[in-house]
Amino acid sequence: MNSLHDEFIPVSDLPEGRPANLSRRGFLGASLGALVLGVTLPGAGALAQNAATAAKSAPRVSAFLEIRTDGSVLLRSPFVEGGQGVSTAMAQIVGEELDVDPANFTVECAPPGSDYQVVGGRRFTGGSFSVRSSYETMRRVGASARQMLLQAAASRLKVPVASLSTEPGRVLHAASGRALGYGALAADAAALPVPEDVTLREDKDFRWIGKPVARLDVRGKSVGKAAYAIDMQVDGMLRAAVQHAPRLDLEPAAFTNEAEVKAMPGVHSIHRLPGAVAVVADRWWRARRAVETLQVTWTDAAPGTRRAMPSDFSSEGRRAQLAAAPGPGIAAETVRDAAATLEGAAKTVTATYDAPYLAHGQLEPPSALARFNDDGTLDLWLPNQAPEMFLARAAKAAGIPAEKIKIHSPMLGGFFGRHFIYETANPFPQAILLSKAVGRPVKLIWSREEEFLRDALRPMGFVRFRAGLDANGLPIALEAEAVGEGPRDRWFGRKPDAADGSAVEGISGKPYAIPSRRIAHVLVDDPAIIGFWRSVGHSMNDFFYETFFDEVADAGQQDPYDLRLQLLADKPRHKALLQAVGDLSGGWKRGPFTAPDDGKRARGVAMASPFGSEVATIAEVSLKDGAVAVHDVWVAIDPGRIVNPGIIEAQVNSAVALGLSSALLEEVVYAKGVPQARNFDGYPILPPDRMPRVHVRIVESGAPMGGIGEPGLPGVPPAVANAVAALTGQRIRSLPFSKMKFGDT
């Protein structure tokens, strides 16, 4: 467990926006007595700055970096580490320009503040956007600090700056053979102004960018020293557990055994919360046992309550609702007149596809620690992907100004969309209310059952397809209607008469040269709390599109791999990637064919264009005991440019695992307004013995940098489904595969 009693100099005591030499009292992580290249963090005025203004202003180097007397570096990253390797990538990028080995970095998530809003004037960790959105900014941070160190050395050695160079961690004066370590120059550098312009390294001179630098967080995780929100504790802290209402439209009314629960060991108090009840105790297990013992009478929420869940809501009913919703919807992509072309087609192909609600199923259960301080401020330790967004919501929950709240953002024990601001899906508003009620710090942990009950789910998806073929069996028209609600517009606002990009991504904008196309979104509001899930709409929409593509190829008597190549003739980047994955797999062969073990196997192929990257995937499958067995998955990924190939390969492996898990097994089922699975016994995920071998080829096309964390996922479900169809002749149009029974081949 970690003690969180580091002392901080109040922001008001230091000059806003100016470098200062700060000791241990200045910032968490600095060595005792160290002179560091540091500065005050943004105060109330900076927090209130307009995001657009913040985006235009140059980042303050000293808000990001501290260089200590021993030469080590503390970097405050704008992004939250959740296993995706962003802390290591930030250290590589900054270290490259600063000329410091990334291994000498300590990386922390920066607190809320306008300096760190480097994603188009905002700040969030998600959308596979962290590295590509901040690459130039963070390089300039490192280069600016290096220039300041050179200037400090020039003054110390009384030589021109131009006569100096650097090697990792020190400044060199080649003519005299003298050298000064960065740590010895930190104090002098801190007194200098940040340069207005700097020269960045040429790519050919990179020491660490583009190299498989070892992850900085691996050792801490391996030896149990990595600290997550669930590990945090402070003096005088109480623990809390909750019991949520079974449906979102219920509120706690009466307790039938309150006296009994209050008398249980360690119980401090019982509380009513919006849509839940809580018990505060001296230990979390005691709080959980007590709150589960509490017998609650739940009452319907007042009429017109926002996000009320109908008592008769079910997954089956939702699918029927989506299937019955009429088009034509809001156009997301229109090329020529698809309807007219379809009327004149030699052959038409139609199909409907659907995918279920999915839970995040993260390893770390949600938690939050709230502490009100004597001066009226509030400290919050909570897992999150967007500190500024959480700060605004916390201020509203606490009833105090945002500048009186300090958000601490520990490493995440799993996320991919779980830790955004979702109504009812985060524990920190409850922790704030409980801490205020008891007058002491409170750490709230949701049990696994409460997590499954209140997770923000990937929405259910449903798509109607119609394609037209010419006399040669080539597609000449495609219509698709994606029916349902996407998470982007749910949480960031709808635009009138505009399709939700998260509802149609993976269907609109495909690179294939089909002459006439119409892609549309038919909006049907979802009563469930929906959220972002790894690769968002691509996670199901590429399954829909790429599997239907194979149906179209079969209808035209075309090989699906060859047809893709033909339709990508004018897309050299995509065509090269498809050829690369074919080569990686040893040459395309669809099958069925006989494997070395004498079993029958087949292969499927799929492509995806998620988050600025391009991906081609091939999967090889067989059948065993009526279920799909996936032996190998080959992935060629083109992110344009790369920072760490080792992290890319790890992320692709991870994405393949989750994509396959979602395809084969995962499904949240609602009945009577309640999700039926409350733990992993009712929500199976991919077991280790069903994980295939994964083969990765990275292709650097030189295109603008794309994302990494999510792009490896979308191609997996369709590649596997297409392989199953080649092997069995059975088309899979509804996920997960476990709903179907296959005969052994």
Side-chain angles (χ1 to χ4, degrees):
M1 296 293 185
N2 297 317
S3 176
L4 300 173
H5 285 278
D6 300 276
E7 296 178 302
F8 293 83
I9 299 175
V11 170
S12 59
D13 294 350
L14 291 171
E16 181 72 28
R18 294 188 60 81
N21 299 332
L22 302 176
S23 69
R24 169 65 174 169
R25 294 178 58 85
F27 285 105
L28 178 65
S31 301
L32 184 63
L35 294 172
V36 298
L37 182 57
V39 77
T40 65
L41 294 180
L47 286 173
Q49 286 181 5
N50 182 279
T53 301
K56 293 177 183 177
S57 62
R60 290 183 296 138
V61 175
S62 45
F64 291 86
L65 278 175
E66 293 179 13
I67 301 174
R68 302 160 176 163
T69 54
D70 64 359
S72 62
V73 178
L74 170 64
L75 170 65
R76 293 179 198 87
S77 169
F79 307 106
V80 186
E81 178 62 62
Q84 79 278 39
V86 69
S87 293
T88 305
M90 290 295 109
Q92 285 181 257
I93 295 166
V94 175
E96 187 66 69
E97 298 294 347
L98 178 58
D99 210 350
V100 171
D101 190 328
N104 291 330
F105 276 71
T106 297
V107 183
E108 295 177 353
C109 179
S114 58
D115 284 298
Y116 309 108
Q117 294 175 356
V118 296
V119 185
R122 295 188 298 173
R123 176 191 183 191
F124 61 90
T125 305
S128 297
F129 210 58
S130 299
V131 172
R132 58 188 171 126
S133 68
S134 65
Y135 182 68
E136 290 297 326
T137 297
M138 300 310 290
R139 286 184 67 186
R140 292 185 182 281
V141 165
S144 296
R146 177 177 176 271
Q147 185 63 32
M148 294 163 74
L149 290 161
L150 285 167
Q151 290 173 342
S155 178
R156 180 86 62 89
L157 299 174
K158 295 181 172 52
V159 298
V161 171
S163 68
L164 299 174
S165 61
T166 63
E167 65 178 22
R170 62 180 192 160
V171 177
L172 304 178
H173 185 244
S176 65
R178 290 177 292 175
L180 290 171
Y182 283 0
L185 294 167
D188 292 347
L192 297 173
V194 177
E196 293 184 2
D197 193 24
V198 290
T199 300
L200 302 181
R201 287 185 185 275
E202 296 288 337
D203 291 7
K204 63 181 177 59
D205 297 326
F206 284 167
R207 284 191 173 100
W208 297 290
I209 291 178
K211 309 298 191 301
V213 172
R215 289 273 295 269
L216 301 182
D217 54 342
V218 168
R219 177 172 174 77
K221 291 176 178 178
S222 301
V223 300
K225 290 185 177 181
Y228 301 91
I230 201 171
D231 297 317
M232 301 300 169
Q233 63 178 351
V234 296
D235 288 346
M237 181 178 77
L238 293 169
R239 282 78 169 174
V242 297
Q243 178 190 158
H244 286 112
R247 289 202 322 271
L248 285 172
D249 59 342
L250 299 179
E251 294 293 338
F255 306 140
T256 60
N257 62 339
E258 185 171 2
E260 174 193 349
V261 173
K262 282 184 175 179
M264 293 179 70
V267 170
H268 177 279
S269 50
I270 299 173
H271 303 267
R272 288 179 174 83
L273 298 169
V277 295
V279 170
V280 176
D282 60 345
R283 301 178 186 175
W284 182 79
W285 183 248
R286 287 176 168 177
R288 181 187 177 188
R289 290 189 63 188
V291 81
E292 291 178 344
T293 302
L294 194 62
Q295 297 173 4
V296 186
T297 300
W298 302 96
T299 185
D300 289 336
T305 298
R306 180 177 170 84
R307 304 291 182 207
M309 172 63 75
S311 60
D312 61 349
F313 179 77
S314 68
S315 296
E316 183 180 355
R318 174 66 177 173
R319 187 190 181 284
Q321 179 191 29
L322 298 180
I330 303 169
E333 179 185 1
T334 303
V335 179
R336 298 181 182 173
D337 189 339
T341 306
L342 281 161
E343 289 297 320
K347 188 174 186 177
T348 58
V349 184
T350 61
T352 60
Y353 282 77
D354 66 88
Y357 292 110
L358 291 184
H360 288 88
Q362 59 180 12
L363 183 62
E364 179 190 11
S367 67
L369 169 56
R371 181 184 67 192
F372 284 90
N373 304 307
D374 293 340
D375 61 359
T377 60
L378 170 64
D379 277 278
L380 281 173
W381 291 264
L382 68 155
N384 72 87
Q385 291 175 241
E388 284 75 17
M389 294 182 189
F390 277 71
L391 181 65
R393 177 77 181 277
K396 183 177 180 181
I400 61 176
E403 57 264 27
K404 290 190 174 184
I405 301 174
K406 185 176 182 66
I407 298 281
H408 306 263
S409 304
M411 187 181 299
L412 300 173
F415 66 116
F416 289 108
R418 177 62 185 89
H419 297 298
F420 274 102
I421 297 291
Y422 302 125
E423 295 172 6
T424 75
N426 292 298
F428 74 93
Q430 298 173 338
I432 291 171
L433 294 175
L434 293 172
S435 181
K436 181 181 288 190
V438 302
R440 291 173 60 179
V442 171
K443 180 165 77 171
L444 169 63
I445 302 174
W446 284 2
S447 68
R448 188 66 71 187
E449 289 77 12
E450 300 308 316
E451 154 73 350
F452 269 87
L453 187 60
R454 285 294 182 268
D455 192 6
L457 307 175
R458 186 188 79 173
M460 182 179 288
F462 186 93
V463 179
R464 293 186 284 259
F465 284 107
R466 190 160 66 120
L469 309 179
D470 65 14
N472 296 316
L474 297 177
I476 55 175
L478 177 76
E479 282 189 341
E481 293 177 351
V483 188
E485 184 182 3
R488 190 196 69 180
D489 283 7
R490 165 75 71 95
W491 301 112
F492 290 103
R494 292 176 184 165
K495 296 180 181 179
D497 301 320
D500 183 339
S502 64
V504 296
E505 61 186 4
I507 301 175
S508 66
K510 297 292 279 191
Y512 306 119
I514 300 175
S516 298
R517 305 184 297 277
R518 184 181 186 272
I519 312 300
H521 175 211
V522 179
L523 174 63
V524 181
D525 286 333
D526 198 320
I529 300 298
I530 60 172
F532 300 96
W533 197 86
R534 191 171 185 177
S535 73
V536 199
H538 285 280
S539 67
M540 52 185 170
N541 287 338
D542 279 297
F543 161 71
F544 299 151
Y545 188 103
E546 291 290 310
T547 311
F548 182 66
F549 185 102
D550 270 36
E551 291 201 50
V552 172
D554 286 346
Q557 298 183 334
Q558 306 283 330
D559 177 88
Y561 181 88
D562 292 339
L563 180 60
R564 285 176 171 85
L565 280 177
Q566 184 174 346
L567 297 182
L568 295 172
D570 296 328
K571 301 283 186 178
R573 182 184 182 192
H574 299 82
K575 183 178 180 181
L577 197 64
L578 185 58
Q579 292 170 327
V581 78
D583 176 67
L584 181 65
S585 68
W588 167 251
K589 53 180 179 179
R590 191 182 190 194
F593 55 84
T594 302
D597 62 1
D598 294 326
K600 291 293 184 182
R601 297 187 185 181
R603 292 182 179 180
V605 63
M607 298 195 74
S609 303
F611 308 102
S613 292
E614 299 295 336
V615 186
T617 306
I618 290 176
E620 182 171 306
V621 310
S622 67
L623 298 177
K624 182 179 180 181
D625 299 327
V628 175
V630 183
H631 301 278
D632 291 272
V633 174
W634 295 271
V635 180
I637 181 168
D638 175 8
R641 302 179 65 188
I642 69 172
V643 172
N644 190 320
I647 289 177
I648 293 174
E649 186 165 352
Q651 283 298 301
V652 170
N653 273 266
S654 164
V656 168
L658 193 50
L660 187 57
S661 184
S662 69
L664 298 182
L665 299 166
E666 295 185 36
E667 179 181 23
V668 171
V669 177
Y670 269 87
K672 297 182 179 179
V674 178
Q676 299 301 287
R678 296 292 297 275
N679 211 318
F680 288 109
D681 58 341
Y683 188 84
I685 61 175
L686 189 74
D689 63 358
R690 296 189 71 176
M691 180 67 187
R693 294 178 292 269
V694 180
H695 316 267
V696 182
R697 176 170 294 178
I698 301 169
V699 178
E700 281 193 271
S701 63
M705 185 178 289
I708 292 300
E710 297 164 281
L713 189 151
V716 176
V720 175
N722 289 334
V724 171
L727 186 63
T728 68
Q730 292 178 261
R731 279 286 166 197
I732 300 172
R733 299 192 181 106
S734 181
L735 297 179
F737 295 9
S738 58
K739 296 190 294 186
M740 297 182 67
K741 186 73 172 179
F742 304 93
D744 287 343
T745 58

